Amino acid sequence: MGDDTLKTTLSAKHYQADQINDWCAGCGDHGILRALEKAMAKLELARDQTAVFGGIGCSGKTPYYLNVGGVHTLHGRVLSFAAGAKLANPALNVIAIGGDGDGLSIGAGHFVNSGRRNLDLLYILFNNGVYGLTKGQAAPTLRIGEKTRSMPRCVIQQHMNPIALAVISGYTWVARGYAYDVPALTDLVVAAMQHRGIAFLEVLQPCPKYNDLHTKDWYGDRLYKLSDDGYQALIAAETDAASVQQIYNEALARAAQWGELVPTGLFLQDLSKPDFRSQLAGLQPGIARRPPCQCVVTDDSGRTQIDLEPLFETLRIAADSSQT
Amino acid sequence: MGDDTLKTTLSAKHYQADQINDWCAGCGDHGILRALEKAMAKLELARDQTAVFGGIGCSGKTPYYLNVGGVHTLHGRVLSFAAGAKLANPALNVIAIGGDGDGLSIGAGHFVNSGRRNLDLLYILFNNGVYGLTKGQAAPTLRIGEKTRSMPRCVIQQHMNPIALAVISGYTWVARGYAYDVPALTDLVVAAMQHRGIAFLEVLQPCPKYNDLHTKDWYGDRLYKLSDDGYQALIAAETDAASVQQIYNEALARAAQWGELVPTGLFLQDLSKPDFRSQLAGLQPGIARRPPCQCVVTDDSGRTQIDLEPLFETLRIAADSSQT
Amino acid sequence: MLSDQRIWYAVSSIITRINSAVVKHGTENLAWRIGGPQGSGINRIARLFARACAAQGMEVICRREYHSNIMGRHSYNDVVISAQALQCHRESTDILVTFDAETLCRHVHSLKPWGFALYADADGDVGLGRLPYLDQRLRDDLNAALSAAGLPETTQGLLEMAEQRGVRTVCIPYQALLERLADQLGMVKKAVSATQNMLAVAISAALIGMPEQALLAALEQTFLGKEHIVRMNREAVAIAYNHAQQLQPHVFRISLHGQASPRLLLDGTQSVALGKLAAGMGFQSYYPISPATDESTFLEARAEVRSTRGETCGPLVLQVEDELAAINMASGAALTGARSATATSGPGFSLMAEGLGWAGMNEVPLVITLYQRGGPSTGMPTRTDQGDLLFALHAGHGEFPRIILASGDVASCFYDAAQAFDYAERYQTPVIQMLDKALTSTLQTVPVFDTAAVTIDRGAVLASSEQQPQAVERFALTASGISPRPLLGQPGTWYWSTGVEHSEWGQVSEDPVLREQMMEKRAHKLALAAAEIPLSEKLEIHGDEDAAFTIFTWGSNKGAVLDALQQLSDRGIRARAVVLRLLWPFPADAVQALLQSASPSVMVECNYSAELNSLFVQQARRGCDHLVLKYSGRPISAEALLPQLVSIQAGDAGYRNVLRNAYE
Amino acid sequence: MLSDQRIWYAVSSIITRINSAVVKHGTENLAWRIGGPQGSGINRIARLFARACAAQGMEVICRREYHSNIMGRHSYNDVVISAQALQCHRESTDILVTFDAETLCRHVHSLKPWGFALYADADGDVGLGRLPYLDQRLRDDLNAALSAAGLPETTQGLLEMAEQRGVRTVCIPYQALLERLADQLGMVKKAVSATQNMLAVAISAALIGMPEQALLAALEQTFLGKEHIVRMNREAVAIAYNHAQQLQPHVFRISLHGQASPRLLLDGTQSVALGKLAAGMGFQSYYPISPATDESTFLEARAEVRSTRGETCGPLVLQVEDELAAINMASGAALTGARSATATSGPGFSLMAEGLGWAGMNEVPLVITLYQRGGPSTGMPTRTDQGDLLFALHAGHGEFPRIILASGDVASCFYDAAQAFDYAERYQTPVIQMLDKALTSTLQTVPVFDTAAVTIDRGAVLASSEQQPQAVERFALTASGISPRPLLGQPGTWYWSTGVEHSEWGQVSEDPVLREQMMEKRAHKLALAAAEIPLSEKLEIHGDEDAAFTIFTWGSNKGAVLDALQQLSDRGIRARAVVLRLLWPFPADAVQALLQSASPSVMVECNYSAELNSLFVQQARRGCDHLVLKYSGRPISAEALLPQLVSIQAGDAGYRNVLRNAYE
Ligand SMILES: Cc1ncc(C[n+]2csc(CCOP(=O)(O)OP(=O)(O)O)c2C)c(N)n1
Ligand SMILES: Cc1ncc(C[n+]2csc(CCOP(=O)(O)OP(=O)(O)O)c2C)c(N)n1
Ligand code: SF4
Ligand code: SF4
Ligand SMILES: [Mg+2]
Ligand SMILES: [Mg+2]
């Protein structure tokens, strides 16, 4: 068995792929990548049992740079691919990564519907306010009236609030990190991976190339940590409905903060909702024992060993007994 | 001019198309249709200046039955078609209609992103908990553990809360009606059409054919009117941020109610956000004067009268002055 | 030994009368049609009737027509009963069972002159103008015919007109029968009104001499576990049989030398579902859409399959938010080694174009079951069409390999579905299995499937390594174009893959040379498939192999073509039929050879633009001499095809021949 | 009168030397190439240089190659300068301007033996292993060549190798020049380092004898309003010209008999944008995607267009959430009478398949500009390809009409874009205008567009009624298949429309007869378009119309074919070129006739599977005798095409000929 679990110590370096990285110098993406490597090392994720999926955008290139299974998918569709792999092989550690355009614009339908499923995976959204790879058009996170240097005109629509949307959509672990605060971001990734259920991590990611509004400087004074503020994000398994509502309200109020103060850290962890796998097991216990990636059963000569008799039975026309 | 505005009195009957209706007897859709006809009559909408767009589903058939412009679009895409028409001809009264599968499952991306645009149209979502036209599969509004008679297995995902999603997505008028309470629903449609900006109206719509959980009986005692409860939904144009947040929180708390008590009526009307057209006019004043549907300008012989000279100017290679 | 009761009458006498008609039926058969408003249980009752017939040892093939509507609009089912298996429905009918006036209006014209029309007393004199769901066009046509014949514009007029043709009309006093039933059960009439269609079926069953017991057995199997319903219907059957005695019984007779061997009675969606299960499918994501949904619903309800050793290994079948999610989730699942699929119809498939390309670029073994329905756009969701072939062939921007299989009958749906996974894994590319709505809703008796024939070929999978985990090349350049496939989560390896043009390592590359190599690698796999897949899996030849008269077709038309072929042969006309199964890579050489020796050649398709014929021209450099097309949303029948073929063979037909029937 | 300064040297002397080469250039021209990392301003500076040349009266045609990356990976631009308009870039170059080692490695092989390589002193001896962005394959090839020649695996080795071929290598002390500039401006060196590429351009401009003034004028126009930048670069130009005097100046000479007439210098996206504006487009929704975005961005920034009467009537150009929204919003807008469009590339177009079908079914005049890029899947977003033709032709389930136009050069992009709306409105059907990335990014001097030639045909619009508002038939059955089109919001009328099969009233209908009529109606419009559109709008014939040697092509290859044609003619080889513009409805008769008289016939395409040739076979029942294909993601040049054509004409070539160049 070549399983990575046999290996005792994996350092962040082990997770770095030997691949040329083509992000701009100074891009927030580099910090996020560092945090991922570190978190993987902390968690000692087996590299052969881990898969990172990327959407399309600068952010979406992340999988290339990590020494674990890496799948570069389609614009807006990363959550679908990631969910498919996780459902088919529940032993995989699955991380889905995408930009704010990827996740909130073209991928918004999957964003919202993935919250409903509470599948045990982590979705990281790189919020840089722009479409990096297509040269700086407004992403849905940019606010009305804002205009980066890459845009001919200012935004005339409301922005989307990823944290609020995740909370409302049913993500059971919702947090925000900052690309340049690698230690804190590392901890968030670790916590997210330890959460059982779907985790959403927004990362504030300066794009020095196109977004001249939300720069390192801009974030500088504004960011604060929710935990420093005595904020309570946890909903324990057996919390009463009123208290649950209370915490959701609080999370949404904090999500609405932007401007003078921008909160980071964990907004919500809801342990009161069952995760998808346990729900599925209730419906179809067999799946828990034999995951979809192991459903092919053959004998030595390659003949299928699936027994269709019980199904044939329900469709069979029995020869009439009165007939000889 | 055959403009309907010349006509003084239009009754609900004038809005009924002479078309056979193929919804099931007892379906909530009938009530909604009645409310639409009545609201149109109350508003005296010019039939030639009004267009109703439908998604795909039982709900999506609504346009056929109304004596105004009617466009039966694609599954999940109704908001896009409706927005296109409204943007191109702002004088049109535009109503988009779709099912809960249409709007929250396949159309969720447009649902969420349309909130951002705050375009002056009304979106009505028929919430019957199921996919009516495809025979009763679970819609995203159905709750975890629920199983209607049409489903082989129960739902194992969280439900989606349309009101909460609309609030978070930026809809500036958000309400819920009930299909069998036609008078109240009529008033809501009237109010929605009078709102300037994007209005979202969820209608609780029993589907007697497939949804045996959320029946007339089930709703019977549970429904109450927010207005009866002293609930305040209005955010005036110049409200301070804290009060705005307060009302949003309240709206979300009410949106979370379900079970013993199910609120109906107006959850939110936010006048503090500019509507799309006024924003656009700021950017491109010409559009306000001449809408996209009138951009073709020709002379008598059909030659275009668009003057490209100013644009050519920026791309022209001037003959070098030193050259004769 | 045949019991006296079980001798059914009539077809032989029909045959006698048919002889004088244009079309000679090669096989004894009886067509029974029931119609009524959607939601009134027509489909269920027709299946029950079919089951009863089948249990009597007869072969049945059933067609279902319905509107895209839940309650109220018209629907109907045909059950064609025969001793030897038929492959196709009939457009005409021998017995028409109705209990609403609309059904009478729509179908009385389709009755054979010797046929029977059963109708409710209440429907005997209804003005055509009072039937809201009757299409304006049809109403106008009927009214025109009636007034030309000097008859009133009512159902009575239509009945009279039919009688003038020889049709026997039988009025059934449903209300009185229901009252009697209510009385006997001590219930109010309204509570038993749902048995009306059981009454109708039972009366017609009695008329053709079906033993009451047979019907009751089918009844019990249909409503298994629903005691109350069974009891009610049981009584209804008794009353119906009783009533039928007052009518002239045993009007039709079928000489019974039916099957004693066990068979399955199932439709196209069920057959596909079973094939997928047999192949060990582990994952199917889908979004509901007619007519594909039934397959997934069937699978969902029966997902806990077991192996012969008793392990549960049912697939995970999941309704997801849309078709984009469906195809991409299935791709994600396939990367882990799960045999993965999705099932959809035109509109959903349109949304899958991008995901299909991703699977092609990433060499993902992915199966897509495409149930064609009437297009374009939302089109006719519950009607048949074969208008997606060229789209399926070209869906997705850019150039990448795919394999397309078309299934032609209910039984092959099973084997094709199973084999699709083999092709997908062997050539590491998406496979599209195409059906059409007609096939989907064809309910048919077929021999029990031979599961032992399903052998599984998983293609080249990378061997698991015993070493320290390491990255491996997903897209190694090999002579065959096929790179041994690592799986996500496979112990000892990880790899990259991407929809961007890439190196062997699945890393982005825009190097022009590598690009050429990768394009060539992917294209090569298709060439390999074309070379490796045996001819017998590419097409079937039926009839007289040496005949020049050659009929080409694909999909559900196969049934009509085969039945017509039989009838041609009965008339002494030599002909062969070529049914294409592998549509891509296209079996160009074989088709070219067949076309060369064909005279005349005919293409039979259920679409407007003769898509397979276009493909013939493009790939085999030659099209057929004649086209026979139908694009009304209704399937082609042998009955309609035969005269067309006869006239083609006689040299009387033009190039393009459209089959039309205004009464379907 | 030509000033002394403005005589450029060299091409004539090149010509002398070329005579001995295989390929004889028919037109005097000079190819200049600049390369460097993305984000370092290469494209802007190349445009500036092109503008300077054009302002001197020369014709320029420029090519742009870049990676799908924002900063760091390699990009390059070619500017080909000539006195008479050329239609195509060159793969070889005469002057190579570099200031990084990677550019040197990638392009030094493409220099003509008489060419010049300008490189930075720092790059003169860099190990190839130290260049992270150099593709492994290329590094291996270069190293192999170097070691075979006994040279070190460094840039120095490559420079030596080039010198051995005759290439003149010129080392530029950029750092010293920048220091001087900083000194002069009283700034720190870092603050002026962005002028490095200006230095490079200016030195090469000086080398070819371009007047300093010309460059300065272009500089000012490029950085209009950016005083600071202009000042800095002005100084840089001075320093560069000064430095160039130390080098051997005026190495190349072009005899100048250039244009005095005003022209535009623009690329394909800008040309399309202007065409849309000319046509009165009112609405464009889009989602960003390479290489389509530039068009929408250009439009967004210039949306406030005016009529000659001064009314503002700019289009609303809107970035929306995805391509599904983009196409469907545009359809919604089109229903109101706005001329509506969307622009996208492969992946986006894949997502539009369903919306396209809706527009087809609803007879919506909708224009889709499809910028092809390397596929499949995400593919090569910034490289060229013509792999979407058959997909565009079949996209969307079911059968419905569409019109497909392909533009072949920068100028026709304008006229085609404008006319697309006429076709769309006349035949009430979606029109797809296809370009490819090569054309998109071709920057070229063209005669100023003739706006007066843009006449507008809005097709049959329903007359507004003076009466009480009333419902009207949207889909009236007419002889032509075209129903006068009511508009949403048109006073006096309302109507229904739907993607479901429908009656004349736009109401759902599943009637089989109506279905047939509607299918026939829609198909008829396409037949009408095929009949009405004049041949001159279907295809162009260039060269010797009576020649048998016939080269067919479409899209941006037109340029390569036309230039090659000229060169064939220079060599006395008679040939004609047929450039297809209307790809659907396919001009079958015309093509058939041309194929009949063609010998040999050649198809030139930028894809793997020769898609247009497939269409020829399918529609004209005959393909070409030879294929010349390229699918490395790079465009075909006349330079590469010519020898291929010569060998085809000589009977030396096989059927399938792939153009390859490992150094693009
Ligand atoms: C279907 C489709 N549409 C459009 C594109 C073009 N595209 C590539 S990246 C991108 C946006 C990237 O923005 P974001 O998701 O915010 O990622 P970032 O680059 O900012 O990390 C777009 C629109 C595409 N690849 N596919
Ligand atoms: C792209 C696409 N996928 C699937 C369908 C099939 N379909 C038709 S209606 C429908 C769902 C209807 O449910 P809902 O939106 O809730 O409307 P309702 O019928 O309940 O009013 C579906 C999935 C379709 N028409 N198009
Ligand atoms: S464009 Fe922005 S997001 Fe993309 S790599 Fe550069 S800095 Fe980062
Ligand atoms: S299926 Fe349900 S939603 Fe559809 S018409 Fe019937 S009752 Fe109404
Ligand atoms: Mg972004
Ligand atoms: Mg619904």
Side-chain angles (χ1 to χ4, degrees), chain C residues 95-403:
Chain C
I95 301 182
L96 173 65
V97 181
T98 80
F99 35 86
D100 70 343
E102 182 179 344
T103 304
L104 211 51
C105 296
R106 287 182 179 272
H107 299 290
V108 72
H109 273 58
S110 301
L111 269 166
K112 287 291 189 194
W114 54 81
F116 274 71
L118 274 58
Y119 68 97
D121 41 5
D123 300 331
D125 192 13
V126 178
L128 266 52
R130 287 181 43 217
L131 303 172
Y133 281 132
L134 204 60
D135 298 301
Q136 188 60 45
R137 192 276 314 161
L138 180 57
R139 180 182 296 126
D140 292 349
D141 282 5
L142 292 175
N143 283 344
L146 286 166
S147 66
L151 291 168
E153 299 185 347
T154 61
T155 47
Q156 195 183 0
L158 289 172
L159 287 166
E160 251 183 76
M161 213 166 164
E163 278 162 9
Q164 287 171 9
R165 288 194 299 126
V167 168
R168 314 247 313 257
T169 64
V170 183
C171 174
I172 313 281
Y174 284 110
Q175 295 313 315
L177 297 178
L178 286 171
E179 256 157 43
R180 191 180 316 158
L181 176 59
D183 272 3
Q184 286 182 12
L185 292 167
M187 295 165 74
V188 293
K189 197 178 116 200
K190 200 175 157 216
V192 300
S193 66
T195 61
Q196 181 173 352
N197 48 27
M198 191 70 224
L199 285 171
V201 166
I203 290 169
S204 63
L207 275 179
I208 62 171
M210 183 193 287
E212 195 172 337
Q213 261 324 105
L215 199 62
L216 290 175
L219 167 65
E220 261 157 58
Q221 216 177 338
T222 301
F223 296 104
L224 206 70
K226 297 180 180 158
E227 262 322 305
H228 172 67
I229 299 181
V230 170
R231 205 169 63 89
M232 209 159 69
N233 280 291
R234 212 171 233 298
E235 284 304 317
V237 170
I239 287 173
Y241 268 74
N242 188 14
H243 178 77
Q245 287 186 339
Q246 304 166 21
L247 311 169
Q248 174 187 7
H250 300 249
V251 248
F252 291 90
R253 181 167 50 85
I254 282 185
S255 51
L256 190 75
H257 41 88
Q259 289 281 346
S261 69
R263 290 150 304 145
L264 303 178
L265 177 66
L266 83 177
D267 64 29
T269 58
Q270 295 168 328
S271 184
V272 169
L274 292 173
K276 287 180 172 179
L277 292 174
M281 180 177 78
F283 188 86
Q284 173 151 318
S285 34
Y286 77 99
Y287 187 70
I289 188 164
S290 303
T293 323
D294 290 350
E295 183 210 312
S296 296
T297 312
F298 180 88
L299 282 168
E300 256 180 5
R302 289 158 189 82
E304 287 268 302
V305 198
R306 285 170 193 277
S307 76
T308 49
R309 292 192 296 272
E311 309 128 320
T312 53
C313 39
L316 175 48
V317 179
L318 203 66
Q319 178 188 328
V320 297
E321 60 267 35
D322 60 20
E323 287 89 351
L324 301 155
I327 190 167
N328 296 328
M329 243 188 229
S331 264
L335 295 176
T336 69
R339 287 193 147 190
S340 303
T342 185
T344 191
S345 176
F349 188 71
S350 279
L351 292 174
M352 291 184 180
E354 195 194 17
L356 183 71
W358 193 91
M361 184 64 146
N362 281 281
E363 313 196 21
V364 180
L366 177 70
V367 171
I368 297 149
T369 319
L370 173 53
Y371 292 91
Q372 296 172 93
R373 67 187 215 186
S377 196
T378 310
M380 303 178 93
T382 59
R383 307 292 178 180
T384 202
D385 203 24
Q386 298 182 318
D388 297 346
L389 172 56
L390 294 178
F391 177 42
L393 182 51
H394 297 291
H397 59 283
E399 298 163 297
F400 58 93
R402 79 199 74 197
I403 290 173

Side-chain angles (χ1 to χ4, degrees), chain D residues 52-64:
Chain D
C53 296
Q56 287 300 100
M58 306 304 289
E59 302 286 3
V60 297
I61 182 161
C62 315
R63 166 197 190 189
R64 183 177 173 213

